[in-house]
Amino acid sequence: MKTRVPHAQGQLPGGAVLPGSLSDELRAELIAFRRDLHMHPELGNQEFRTTAAVKARLERAGLEPRVLAMGTGLVCDVGEWDGVTPMLALRGDIDALPIPDTKAGVPYRSTVPDRAHACGHDVHTTTVLGAGLVLTALDRQGLLPHPVRLIFQPAEEVLPGGAADAIEAGVLDGVGRIIGVHCDPKVDVGKIGLRIGAITSACDRLEITLDGPGGHTARPHLTTDLVTAVARVATDVPALLARRVDARAGLAVTWGRLETGHAPNVIPQHAELSGTVRCLDLDTWRQVPDMVHAAVDEVAGMHRAKTVIDYIRGVPPVVNDAESIGLLDAAMTVRRGSYAIEDTEQSLGGEDFSWYLERVPGAMARLGVRTPGDTRGLDLHRGNFDVDEEAITVGVELFTAAALLDRNGS
């Protein structure tokens, strides 16, 4: 990370003030919009209400959003593109998670059973929408240096991620750089976390079935002891892989489901095991499927179990471009001062924003959503997840500053 030169909040070097701050009226509207989304969460590729709400608000602002070919998600340009100058894209994901909302005492708790915005996508969506509204007003004043594309992407939580479908639908056509944010409940509101290089992990899904003839627990030597076999796969495969790759690659196989058997005295004929494969290193990630297949077959073969392995490719790491991180650094410095920026670590979480960065340079920042002094220890993908809604203002002002400071979009 480069050395940061402190500037006064809201000012450029030399004292000029950057436009694009939120009015109190728009701030209140965006909080209400986020709460409405939070109350009506929708799973990936089912975000019809969310898509309609975003589309209606953009149209009220005089814009022309286009629903993506998948039927959910939108793309919308602010300003008139000349067909030559690369655009800056702002991306927000719009889907929720299949978990119950367990928050108490808030009026915007989810109204949909077993559905919750427990990853902050409602905030991401609202910040991109708010930035679009502010930039539209600036464009009408002749203050927007080049057009900006808004991308409201569905199905981020559905491997291999809705970003791939959005790219196929053409959302990156004419885009020279893309930026986004992700809520971080470990960072105080008013701050962002930045990192050059990989900021997230690759994430794949692994489904394994093991089969054998079954038998009586009194005679395990006459059959395939499938319970022992699946237990050994669960423990030995991660251990084997940890010794077959460089430890710095951060390869982690973690199981989330194991099912087998129905009676205590019956050796079952079928077992199922599923989990995730995460990796911090891009080159290692490309080699991992073959290594996993070999390790599973090796361990299961020792116990004479037949295996079927379904290795489901997910997403590569999000690898932040240095120039794009510089843009976000400059934008946050202008808006909030250099001390509102933290260096952040690479996480083992996966994010399909990585697919955009396979095509164009860009970066993702971590958006602080923790109220200073809050000791609840909230985390993503938990039913009690919530945010300090001041983060919406921070996200909008970060995006608008980036759009104004990025003079050529590439």
Side-chain angles (χ1 to χ4, degrees):
M1 188 71 68
K2 68 181 180 68
T3 301
R4 303 189 183 95
V5 179
H7 299 301
Q9 177 180 333
Q11 292 186 350
L12 296 167
V17 177
L18 192 73
S21 296
L22 273 71
S23 66
D24 291 341
E25 181 181 5
L26 181 56
R27 182 181 291 107
E29 179 190 349
L30 292 176
I31 290 174
F33 190 90
R34 177 258 170 175
R35 292 185 176 190
D36 179 71
L37 295 185
H38 201 87
M39 292 172 66
H40 302 93
E42 297 172 300
L43 299 184
N45 296 315
Q46 301 173 23
E47 312 97 331
F48 298 104
R49 184 186 185 280
T50 303
T51 297
V54 174
K55 181 173 183 288
R57 185 60 186 92
L58 293 171
E59 288 176 339
R60 278 176 49 206
L63 298 172
E64 298 180 354
R66 306 181 299 280
V67 176
L68 300 180
M70 303 86 78
T72 62
L74 308 98
V75 62
C76 182
D77 293 345
V78 179
E80 185 175 350
W81 183 46
D82 61 10
V84 177
T85 306
M87 286 183 286
L88 175 70
L90 313 178
R91 176 269 202 168
D93 37 7
I94 67 175
D95 58 323
L97 286 162
I99 63 176
D101 189 337
T102 61
K103 291 189 297 297
V106 297
Y108 49 85
R109 181 176 174 177
S110 172
T111 61
V112 184
D114 299 320
R115 302 287 186 268
H117 268 296
C119 200
H121 294 190
D122 52 337
V123 174
H124 307 165
T125 301
T126 304
T127 57
V128 174
L129 173 64
L133 298 176
V134 173
L135 293 173
T136 297
L138 294 178
D139 183 52
R140 288 173 181 154
Q141 300 171 53
L143 298 176
L144 186 64
H146 58 77
V148 173
R149 174 160 293 168
L150 314 176
I151 299 172
F152 299 91
Q153 179 216 300
E156 190 277 329
E157 299 286 355
V158 182
L159 289 180
D165 292 329
I167 292 169
E168 187 175 345
V171 301
L172 291 183
D173 295 349
V175 169
R177 188 195 312 281
I178 186 168
I179 57 176
V181 296
H182 198 296
C183 291
D184 190 336
K186 294 179 174 58
V187 176
D188 282 350
V189 70
K191 296 184 177 182
I192 61 170
L194 297 180
R195 177 184 176 87
I196 296 172
I199 191 172
T200 68
S201 165
C203 180
D204 300 332
R205 192 167 75 240
L206 182 59
E207 305 279 350
I208 303 171
T209 61
L210 291 85
D211 290 289
H216 200 294
T217 56
R219 294 176 289 278
H221 59 292
L222 298 180
T223 188
T224 296
D225 185 353
L226 207 62
V227 173
T228 297
V230 72
R232 299 302 297 190
V233 167
T235 57
D236 290 355
V237 166
L240 274 176
L241 292 170
R243 291 297 179 266
R244 292 179 179 177
V245 301
D246 190 323
R248 291 171 294 183
L251 180 63
V253 178
T254 307
W255 309 110
R257 184 180 69 93
L258 193 160
E259 295 184 14
T260 190
H262 300 285
N265 62 342
V266 177
I267 295 175
Q269 296 176 298
H270 184 76
E272 296 181 0
L273 184 64
S274 61
T276 59
V277 181
R278 299 177 188 270
C279 185
L280 299 177
D281 179 69
L282 184 58
D283 290 336
T284 302
W285 175 71
R286 293 186 172 120
Q287 304 169 29
V288 164
D290 289 342
M291 298 171 64
V292 168
H293 275 79
V296 171
D297 287 341
E298 183 177 332
V299 174
M302 293 173 59
H303 298 273
R304 297 176 295 175
K306 297 179 180 179
T307 61
V308 175
I309 303 168
D310 187 11
Y311 193 104
I312 303 161
R313 266 305 196 194
V315 295
V318 171
V319 182
N320 285 337
D321 165 67
E323 188 173 343
S324 300
I325 286 293
L327 174 63
L328 290 168
D329 188 303
M332 192 63 176
T333 298
V334 167
R335 291 299 193 206
R336 299 271 166 163
S338 59
Y339 301 110
I341 303 167
E342 298 180 355
D343 294 337
T344 190
E345 297 180 348
Q346 184 180 6
S347 79
L348 278 168
E351 233 291 349
D352 75 352
F353 189 78
S354 55
W355 292 124
Y356 298 113
L357 303 188
E358 295 277 297
R359 303 293 187 93
V360 298
M364 171 169 279
R366 295 208 167 106
L367 178 67
V369 297
R370 179 179 62 191
T371 300
D374 190 339
T375 60
R376 289 177 295 171
L378 300 180
D379 203 356
L380 303 172
H381 289 220
R382 292 183 181 174
N384 66 341
F385 175 75
D386 204 355
V387 305
D388 186 317
E389 291 170 321
E390 175 63 16
I392 297 169
T393 298
V394 177
V396 171
E397 294 188 349
L398 174 70
F399 280 147
T400 55
L404 294 170
L405 295 174
D406 184 37
R407 293 293 172 177
N408 58 15
S410 64

